[in-house]
């Protein structure tokens, strides 16, 4: 085990009891569900009193509490999405679990909304201000790796740690392990847990909702601190409370420490192949996946994406502008990689694939994969000066060709320039829709709605890996059904009766007749 210097908090074992930090969870549920549903947040005077208490509580720690207008604006709006935001009332930078408890207790005392903020890479407005004021809790300074247990292939850290820094630290120490979930480069572990993220490696390693987060230390709205489970790889001791917070988007608690599972770092290689259309590419990918060979990633990119890559000018080669598949192979040896490449080549060529290009060395593999990872910036290069609306949906893999083809047809009819990238191994479909003015943005917004509704109709989901936030919450009744959504709301009201934690996110309002009519007109 690699033991790091003691961090700024002594979290790790069950922490202080409720007497230290506030009432127990049960004691906070003094209102009925009906009362809680209509609970009001504090007044402007309450907010100001709360800010004063925060400033007094952290007076000895300079820079922890900020009311600087620029800081408030930065945290209240997102450059990654197009949802309406507003400035928070105050931003606080905790250094420990105890700091978070203090913040939560002040929040509860003055009925101040509390919005967790992490890497700020989200695409659905998870951290923006929506309630007219509140406390933004920026977890970026809780960024310590606390322990590495190489023998157990796990790691304990604070929530502000970047996943890329975890892997860089392991590499620097010569530990042949890595954390395989790979969303945006700026994503933090706390944010990844809270949004239920994944990435290109999901084909091989699954998502955050698998077993990659073994446990979490969480501050509840009551001020109580819990640890969801021990560090053992498996447990049948009750239901998995860790998963209660995975994908809860900061609405049920604030994660202050977590244990993540690591995977063996194996050799990889990359290949690219072109197809006449999306349907044949999908059929080929399904057969590849079902052969059980060593596949880490399978990425579908459309002809516009390849055109964008050529236009962007950062690639080491000029690509045929056709629908294509990027493969990342994985295996314990070069022999295994070569065997996988041979089998995959046979399959794709049988399905009409052409131009199969296999990296000759590690540098060429990195260059090929960089072309795929540059998707956002190469896409923007298609229309210089444009902005891009990035969104995703997910369907069963066999339904992906229908989704892609019909979406491309719709976008062409609307005159929207876009690129398509799909984690085809698991049916996750991403689209970057470009626009240059407000009129075009409105058209793009409607196109996104139509894409989501089509995915749900194909037995899919409104979001494969970007989370719900504000942007996708209106679709949950349609996707999950009334009973499931109401169960989620019941949990929310029970744990957070005053609706203080990240209000306005994740949980949808009940649909009205007007909502149904609007959807039918799209």
């Amino acid at each position: 085990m690699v033991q790091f210097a003691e961090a700024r908090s002594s979290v790790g074992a069950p922490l202080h009891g409720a007497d230290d930090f506030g009432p127990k969870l049960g004691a906070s549920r003094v209102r009925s569900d009906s009362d809680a549903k209509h609970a009001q947040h504090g007044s402007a005077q309450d907010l100001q009193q709360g800010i004063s208490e925060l400033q007094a509580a952290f007076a000895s720690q300079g820079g922890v509490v900020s009311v600087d207008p620029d800081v408030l604006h930065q945290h209240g709006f997102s450059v990654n999405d197009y949802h309406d935001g507003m400035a928070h009332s105050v931003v606080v930078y905790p250094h420990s679990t105890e700091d978070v408890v203090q913040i939560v207790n002040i929040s509860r005392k003055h009925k101040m909304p509390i919005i967790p903020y992490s890497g700020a890479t989200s695409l659905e407005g998870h951290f923006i201000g929506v309630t007219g004021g509140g406390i933004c809790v920026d977890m970026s300074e809780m960024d310590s790796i606390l322990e590495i247990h190489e023998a157990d292939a796990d790691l304990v850290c604070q929530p502000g740690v970047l996943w890329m820094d975890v892997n860089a630290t392991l590499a620097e120490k010569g530990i042949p392990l890595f954390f395989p979930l790979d969303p945006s480069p700026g994503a933090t572990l706390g944010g990844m847990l809270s949004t239920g993220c994944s990435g290109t490696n999901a084909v091989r390693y699954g998502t955050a909702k698998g077993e990659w987060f073994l446990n979490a230390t969480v501050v509840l709205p009551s001020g109580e601190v819990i640890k969801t489970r021990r560090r053992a790889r498996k447990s049948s001791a009750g239901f998995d409370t860790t998963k209660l917070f995975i994908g809860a988007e900061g609405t049920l608690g604030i994660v202050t420490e977590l244990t993540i599972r690591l995977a063996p770092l194996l050799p990889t290689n990359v290949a690219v192949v072109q197809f006449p259309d999306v349907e044949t590419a999908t059929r080929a990918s399904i057969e590849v996946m079902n052969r059980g060979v060593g596949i880490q990633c399978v990425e579908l990119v459309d002809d516009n994406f390849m055109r964008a890559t050529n236009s962007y000018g950062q690639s080491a080669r000029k690509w045929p502008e056709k629908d294509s598949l990027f493969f990342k192979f994985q295996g314990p040896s070069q022999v295994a990689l070569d065997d996988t490449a041979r089998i995959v080549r046979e399959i794709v060529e049988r399905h009409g694939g052409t131009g199969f290009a296999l990296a000759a060395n590690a540098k060429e593999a990195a260059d090929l994969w960089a072309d795929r990872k540059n998707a956002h910036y190469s896409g923007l290069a298609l229309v210089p000066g444009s902005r891009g609306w990035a969104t995703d949906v997910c369907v069963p893999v066999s339904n992906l060709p229908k989704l892609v083809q019909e979406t491309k047809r719709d976008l062409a009819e609307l005159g929207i320039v876009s690129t398509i990238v799909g984690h085809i191994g698991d049916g996750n479909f991403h689209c970057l829709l470009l626009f240059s003015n407000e009129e075009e943005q409105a058209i793009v917004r409607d196109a996104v709605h139509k894409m989501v509704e089509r995915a749900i109709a194909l037995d899919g989901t409104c979001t494969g890996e970007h989370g719900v936030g504000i942007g996708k919450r209106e679709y949950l009744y349609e996707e999950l059904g009334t009973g499931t959504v109401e169960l989620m709301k019941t949990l929310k009201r029970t744990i957070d009766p005053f609706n203080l934690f990240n209000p306005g996110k994740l949980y949808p309002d009940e649909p009205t007749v007007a909502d149904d009519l609007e959807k039918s007109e799209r």
Side-chain angles (χ1 to χ4, degrees), residues 212-295:
W212 296 106
F213 292 96
L214 297 177
N215 63 46
T217 299
V218 184
V219 179
L220 300 176
S222 65
E224 184 178 2
V225 181
I226 65 166
K227 185 170 182 175
T228 57
R229 56 178 277 192
R230 296 287 182 172
R231 199 165 53 83
R233 277 296 177 93
K234 63 180 182 179
S235 169
S236 59
F239 57 82
D240 192 342
T241 51
T242 306
K243 285 190 169 62
L244 182 64
F245 298 96
I246 297 176
E249 302 185 4
T251 64
L252 301 180
I254 298 176
V255 175
T256 60
E257 183 181 300
L258 56 160
T259 302
I260 59 174
R261 179 182 171 189
L262 305 174
L265 187 62
L266 300 176
T268 63
N269 202 1
V270 174
V272 185
V273 60
Q274 290 78 46
F275 290 87
D277 52 54
V278 169
E279 187 171 359
T280 55
T282 304
R283 284 200 302 264
S285 73
I286 290 172
E287 184 174 346
V288 167
M289 295 300 298
N290 289 343
R291 284 291 293 271
V293 291
I295 301 296

Side-chain angles (χ1 to χ4, degrees), residues 9 21 54 58 92-108 114 137-139 142 159 217-220 223-225 253-257 501:
S9 66
F21 290 136
L54 287 167
F58 295 100
V92 189
Y93 300 84
H95 291 166
S96 67
T97 296
E98 291 81 358
D99 286 352
V100 175
V101 170
Q102 277 192 288
I103 296 164
V104 168
N105 285 339
I106 292 171
S107 160
R108 188 177 64 255
I114 188 165
V137 183
D138 187 327
M139 307 298 288
M142 293 183 65
T217 299
V218 184
V219 179
L220 300 176
E224 184 178 2
V225 181
I254 298 176
V255 175
T256 60
E257 183 181 300
F501 274 39

Side-chain angles (χ1 to χ4, degrees), residues 52 186 347:
S52 297
I347 293 171

Side-chain angles (χ1 to χ4, degrees), residues 166-415:
V166 165
N167 289 339
T169 298
L170 293 169
E172 288 168 6
K173 295 183 176 296
I175 297 174
L177 300 170
F178 80 120
F179 186 64
L181 304 187
D182 62 333
S184 169
T188 65
L189 270 298
M192 292 165 68
L193 180 150
S194 296
T195 56
C197 80
S198 55
T200 61
N201 288 335
V203 169
R204 169 66 177 83
Y205 293 102
T207 75
K209 294 187 177 182
E211 293 296 325
W212 296 106
F213 292 96
L214 297 177
N215 63 46
T217 299
V218 184
V219 179
L220 300 176
S222 65
E224 184 178 2
V225 181
I226 65 166
K227 185 170 182 175
T228 57
R229 56 178 277 192
R230 296 287 182 172
R231 199 165 53 83
R233 277 296 177 93
K234 63 180 182 179
S235 169
S236 59
F239 57 82
D240 192 342
T241 51
T242 306
K243 285 190 169 62
L244 182 64
F245 298 96
I246 297 176
E249 302 185 4
T251 64
L252 301 180
I254 298 176
V255 175
T256 60
E257 183 181 300
L258 56 160
T259 302
I260 59 174
R261 179 182 171 189
L262 305 174
L265 187 62
L266 300 176
T268 63
N269 202 1
V270 174
V272 185
V273 60
Q274 290 78 46
F275 290 87
D277 52 54
V278 169
E279 187 171 359
T280 55
T282 304
R283 284 200 302 264
S285 73
I286 290 172
E287 184 174 346
V288 167
M289 295 300 298
N290 289 343
R291 284 291 293 271
V293 291
I295 301 296
Q296 183 169 321
C297 311
V298 189
E299 297 291 288
L300 170 71
V301 297
D302 73 344
D303 52 353
N304 281 343
F305 175 94
M306 299 310 285
R307 180 162 61 91
T309 299
N310 288 337
S311 298
Y312 189 47
Q314 299 299 307
S315 177
R317 62 181 68 194
K318 283 289 184 181
W319 290 104
E321 294 177 0
K322 296 181 178 181
D323 299 322
S324 305
L325 292 180
F326 280 70
F327 290 96
K328 182 177 283 188
F329 307 138
Q330 181 193 67
S333 66
Q334 187 61 49
V335 172
L337 291 177
D338 292 343
D339 193 43
T340 293
R342 177 184 57 78
I343 293 171
V344 170
R345 182 167 189 164
E346 291 174 358
I347 293 171
V348 298
E349 289 182 349
R350 192 165 61 248
H351 285 274
T354 58
F356 184 90
L358 178 68
N361 51 52
K363 181 183 184 307
E364 189 173 339
D367 289 343
L368 291 177
W369 199 248
D371 288 348
R372 159 60 189 90
K373 296 298 281 184
N374 281 333
H376 183 77
Y377 296 105
S378 63
L380 292 175
L382 281 175
V383 181
S386 66
R387 302 180 69 188
W389 187 308
T391 191
D392 86 318
V393 292
C394 189
V395 295
V397 176
S398 60
N399 288 337
L400 191 61
K402 180 177 176 65
L403 175 65
V404 173
Q405 289 165 354
E406 294 185 0
T407 298
K408 284 175 71 72
R409 183 199 63 209
D410 289 348
L411 298 180
E413 290 175 354
L414 292 168

Side-chain angles (χ1 to χ4, degrees), residues 41-51 89 110-112 132-133:
H41 295 149
S43 64
Q45 183 178 0
D46 293 323
L47 288 172
Q48 192 54 54
Q49 289 176 344
I51 293 170
S89 303
H110 297 286
K111 300 297 183 291
M112 300 174 70

Side-chain angles (χ1 to χ4, degrees), residues 99-178:
D99 286 352
V100 175
V101 170
Q102 277 192 288
I103 296 164
V104 168
N105 285 339
I106 292 171
S107 160
R108 188 177 64 255
K109 177 180 177 181
H110 297 286
K111 300 297 183 291
M112 300 174 70
I114 188 165
I115 300 91
Y117 181 101
S118 191
T121 62
S122 81
L123 297 174
E124 297 297 347
H126 296 89
F127 59 83
I128 65 176
V130 296
T131 61
I135 306 169
C136 178
V137 183
D138 187 327
M139 307 298 288
S140 62
E141 295 188 13
M142 293 183 65
D143 59 352
S144 297
I145 296 175
L146 306 176
E147 301 170 4
I148 298 174
H149 306 106
E150 183 175 356
D152 298 323
D154 67 44
L155 178 150
V156 184
C157 66
Q158 292 181 307
V161 175
L162 299 172
W163 70 270
M164 293 190 71
D165 287 350
V166 165
N167 289 339
T169 298
L170 293 169
E172 288 168 6
K173 295 183 176 296
I175 297 174
L177 300 170
F178 80 120

